[in-house]
Amino acid sequence: QVQLVESGGGLVQAGGSLTLTCAASSSTLMFNVMAWHRQPPGKQREVVATIRRSGISSYSDSVNGRFTISRDDTKNILRLEMSDLKPQDAGVYYCNTGTLRDGTYIPGPSWGQGTQVTISL
């Protein structure tokens, strides 16, 4: 089972930027789709962005246009570049290696410890 380690979180002012990184313990080439999820305080975990091996990406409406997901399969890394951060972007961010079923992303069983993103006004 792949091990995932997220990093890059921190405290940032609203309107600022952060880049999150997820390092995988095995080749990411085997994963058709990778994703970033977040869990806001007191809320359920939600998907914010996915990227397929082909490079095709998708975003939730709340982050579209502000976040960019990318993967580097030569380094087994997944990134999330976040800009124009808003208070509602706060939470713990997790990466995941999932699958596609009938074109729909299905999260896999492996989760890292997450990285905390805090937004100050």
Side-chain angles (χ1 to χ4, degrees):
Q1 191 165 332
V2 64
Q3 305 296 316
L4 302 169
V5 179
E6 302 93 341
S7 63
L11 173 64
V12 63
Q13 278 192 322
S17 301
L18 275 177
T19 296
L20 307 182
T21 300
C22 171
S25 62
S26 58
S27 174
T28 53
L29 279 172
M30 70 177 72
F31 304 117
N32 188 8
V33 59
M34 301 182 71
W36 282 99
H37 297 238
R38 70 183 176 197
Q39 187 163 16
K43 297 185 178 181
Q44 289 189 330
R45 196 172 299 184
E46 60 183 3
V47 180
V48 295
T50 66
I51 185 166
R52 302 187 185 192
R53 191 186 297 124
S54 64
I56 295 173
S57 57
S58 66
Y59 301 89
S60 66
D61 290 343
S62 63
V63 307
N64 195 27
R66 300 186 297 118
F67 289 13
T68 301
I69 188 171
S70 63
R71 59 190 289 172
D72 185 341
D73 293 328
T74 65
K75 298 179 179 179
N76 303 326
I77 283 174
L78 180 72
R79 287 191 179 90
L80 185 68
E81 297 175 60
M82 308 184 294
S83 62
D84 190 22
L85 284 161
K86 305 177 185 301
Q88 54 265 41
D89 294 320
V92 181
Y93 283 69
Y94 302 88
C95 65
N96 187 269
T97 55
T99 58
L100 289 176
R101 189 174 302 161
D102 295 328
T104 299
Y105 161 65
I106 307 296
S110 297
W111 297 94
Q113 82 290 346
T115 186
Q116 177 75 49
V117 173
T118 304
I119 313 296
S120 65
L121 297 175

